[in-house]
Amino acid sequence: MAAHEIADARVIHEGRRSLVALTVALPGGKSMVREVLESPPAAAVLPYDERRRTVLLVRQFRAAALRAGGAPEPVEAIAGLVDPGETPEACIRREAMEEAGLRLGPLEPVGSVWASPGYSTERVHLFLAPYADADRTGEGGGLAEEQEDIATCEIEFAALAAMLAQGALEDMKTLALAQALALRVPALGGALR
């Protein structure tokens, strides 16, 4: 059986993310067309304070969630797109300061996952990071030029465990990071039992 091959790519919309119509040659001589959202890679982090038993999350307006009938400001892990020439680690350090005023120390890689491989090329680099109250050195809130109005949410491990148990985390990267934290940090894992 021959492998799938991209026979043609036609840009439908070009912007921060581009929409491309791909014609894919299938084994056996047939073809199909799929619309794909081309996106740069992203990075996300779930900061946690094991001593105080807290995590730091953010809320910001999400037009797609509003359009789909969901909460327009879901609770999320800190995240952002990786700029050209930037590493995922440098990206998430920049985003943590911009969004939450948080200076990150050591990063604990969790993995690199497709955001939604059925339609997007976006790959998200996931991290956990310990923090202390003293690491909250900046203003946060996001960038005015990007129309960001970001609120930080410091919540206790028990509240995060309850959100996991109730299926209340609606954002995939945040769900994955919260579950990874529960596996790696005994205090949170204990809160889940």
Side-chain angles (χ1 to χ4, degrees):
M1 178 188 236
H4 294 76
E5 293 182 21
I6 297 175
D8 186 50
R10 182 176 53 87
V11 176
I12 297 170
H13 170 79
E14 193 166 353
R16 184 174 183 199
R17 291 179 171 98
S18 296
L19 185 61
V20 178
L22 297 180
T23 302
V24 180
L26 302 173
K30 294 185 178 187
S31 67
M32 67 178 175
V33 176
R34 293 291 185 264
E35 293 174 350
V36 173
L37 187 66
E38 288 191 334
S39 177
V45 66
L46 180 58
Y48 66 94
D49 183 334
E50 196 167 2
R51 186 186 64 76
R52 292 187 308 125
R53 298 174 57 93
T54 59
V55 296
L56 194 63
L57 298 166
V58 296
R59 285 188 183 275
Q60 65 179 308
F61 173 71
R62 297 298 194 190
L66 177 64
R67 172 77 173 156
E73 294 183 350
V75 64
E76 298 179 58
I78 295 165
L81 295 178
V82 178
D83 288 338
E86 186 178 44
T87 66
E89 293 82 1
C91 166
I92 205 56
R93 290 180 188 287
R94 173 180 51 77
E95 290 290 342
M97 185 55 71
E98 288 175 8
E99 293 187 7
L102 183 64
R103 181 188 63 230
L104 293 177
L107 297 173
E108 302 169 9
V110 171
S112 177
V113 298
W114 297 110
S116 187
Y119 77 90
S120 175
T121 63
E122 184 176 270
R123 196 157 181 90
V124 184
H125 301 272
L126 302 172
F127 300 95
L128 297 173
Y131 80 99
D133 199 39
D135 295 324
R136 297 185 71 181
T137 61
E139 281 187 43
L143 299 177
E145 62 268 22
E146 292 184 12
Q147 294 81 42
E148 293 178 324
D149 184 16
I150 298 172
T152 57
C153 309
E154 190 170 51
I155 65 171
E156 295 180 355
F157 283 1
L160 182 63
M163 293 172 83
L164 277 170
Q166 296 164 4
L169 290 173
E170 298 180 295
D171 175 64
M172 184 67 77
K173 67 186 175 297
T174 307
L175 176 64
L177 285 168
Q179 290 181 337
L181 183 64
L183 292 172
R184 292 185 183 191
V185 177
L188 180 59
L192 290 173
R193 292 185 185 87

